[in-house]
Amino acid sequence: MTAAAAQRSTKAAPARKNAERVPWIDWMVLPTVGVLAVVIGYPVIYTLVLSTTKYNMLDMVPPRYIGGGNYEHLISDPIFWTSLRNTVVYTFGSVIVSSLLGLALALLTESLTGWRFRSVRALLLTPWAVPFVVVAFLFRYMYLQNGGVINAVLLDVGLIDKPVLWLNNSALALPAIMAANIWAMMPFFFLLLSAALAAIPNEVIESARIDKAGTWSMVFHIKLPFLKSALFISSLLMIISNFNDFAKIWAMTQGGPGYSTTTLVIYVYWLAFENFDFGYASAIGVVWLVLLLVFALVYLRAIRMNP
């Protein structure tokens, strides 16, 4: 062994020794862990326990253990499957359409500069500043059968011959709510994708222009690959957010007519706080939590792969 190798070996030995002494937990994080255990851990564990019991507060009897009875009932419950289908349609439909609109607006306004870009951006970001409950009531009044601006415009241009019951028709209610959600969510994608477009190196754009790349070639082969990570991560964030969306749906239809706009969060609220069936509501809440954990794991993996 040479002298240099012996010296490196001597320095590496204390480093390995220090690494072995690193504690498996940093005591400084214990207060945070304690708060999370109380705020998140306890409700989750209590919900798991309640999901294995038959417990309705209106029965005036304590919870009774029934094992997987609530989960067996859930499999044969048509309202649960309707709620799950509505949740999937509402979540993915809203995210796909709003992300495409945000991407299109970001590309269309990319060449604007100075006060024109600032004015257009402020105008496009306005829906993002409106509270969700206000958005819900705004569209609810626009959808009114008599006096609603949407029916008035469609009647004036001759597209319909009588007012449409947008929120009272089981086939139209969910798309009508999704339109309000897309209007409110589109600025998020526009803002994030505009920032991602601005981060594309000028050298790449100039090289493509020198090679005489056309507009569509520039979009599909140069810009979209740079936007892929931002688009994917923002879509996952909005999927998780829309999965829990309660305010807009409740303010516009309260899950009706029938169960045509009932999502999982609306169904759980209805079971737990109107029927007081906490046992069955907890079982649906556990399934809902598992689905959200899957999305969260995909999100964390995406961040790790696209730092």
Side-chain angles (χ1 to χ4, degrees), residues 45 49 62 139 153 231 234 278 283 290:
I45 293 173
V49 173
F139 274 81
V153 171
L231 195 58
S234 58
F278 286 100
V290 170

Side-chain angles (χ1 to χ4, degrees), residues 44-304:
V44 169
I45 293 173
Y46 192 61
T47 300
L48 287 171
V49 173
L50 271 183
S51 70
T52 61
T53 65
K54 182 174 178 56
Y55 180 42
N56 191 318
M57 288 184 67
L58 298 178
D59 295 339
M60 304 298 287
V61 295
R64 179 170 58 85
Y65 179 75
I66 58 171
N70 285 325
Y71 294 97
E72 292 176 6
H73 176 50
L74 183 149
I75 293 172
S76 59
D77 181 3
I79 303 174
F80 167 74
W81 292 109
T82 300
S83 305
L84 182 60
R85 185 197 63 198
N86 289 340
T87 304
V88 171
V89 171
Y90 176 79
T91 300
F92 287 93
S94 299
V95 170
I96 290 172
V97 175
S98 57
S99 61
L100 291 177
L101 288 176
L103 174 63
L105 290 173
L107 290 171
L108 288 172
T109 59
E110 182 192 8
S111 58
L112 298 179
T113 57
W115 65 270
R116 289 183 300 176
F117 178 66
R118 289 194 295 271
S119 303
V120 171
R121 185 171 60 176
L123 186 65
L124 292 174
L125 291 178
T126 301
W128 185 249
V130 180
F132 287 157
V133 175
V134 177
V135 171
F137 281 104
L138 177 67
F139 274 81
R140 186 174 172 179
Y141 289 123
M142 290 170 62
Y143 286 134
L144 282 177
Q145 181 184 2
N146 297 316
V149 65
I150 294 178
N151 275 327
V153 171
L154 293 178
L155 285 170
D156 282 344
V157 299
L159 289 178
I160 57 175
D161 54 2
K162 61 181 180 180
V164 177
L165 302 174
W166 295 101
L167 298 179
N168 294 325
N169 186 318
S170 58
L172 297 176
L174 188 59
I177 299 174
M178 287 171 60
N181 191 37
I182 290 166
W183 182 81
M185 196 167 51
M186 180 269 297
F188 171 79
F189 287 101
F190 166 71
L191 182 65
L192 198 141
L193 294 175
S194 293
L197 275 174
I200 297 177
N202 287 329
E203 294 81 4
V204 176
I205 301 295
E206 291 300 325
S207 300
R209 285 174 180 161
I210 291 171
D211 293 339
K212 299 185 184 306
T215 303
W216 293 110
S217 178
M218 186 87 81
V219 169
F220 285 103
H221 297 108
I222 303 295
K223 295 178 180 176
L224 283 184
F226 276 96
L227 299 179
K228 186 175 63 177
S229 299
L231 195 58
F232 182 62
I233 291 175
S234 58
S235 297
L236 279 175
L237 280 175
M238 284 296 104
I239 285 173
I240 295 172
S241 173
N242 278 274
F243 219 79
N244 296 316
D245 193 5
F246 176 83
K248 285 192 285 291
I249 300 173
W250 187 258
M252 292 180 76
T253 62
Q254 296 189 354
Y259 295 102
S260 60
T261 60
T262 299
T263 56
L264 283 179
V265 62
I266 297 289
Y267 191 35
V268 169
Y269 175 84
W270 180 71
L271 286 170
F273 300 107
E274 293 194 355
N275 289 349
F276 300 101
D277 190 354
F278 286 100
Y280 187 47
S282 298
I284 296 178
V286 170
V287 174
W288 179 16
L289 176 65
V290 170
L291 293 174
L292 284 177
L293 283 176
V294 170
F295 287 124
L297 289 174
V298 173
Y299 172 69
L300 292 174
R301 186 173 178 82
I303 289 180
R304 193 175 303 166

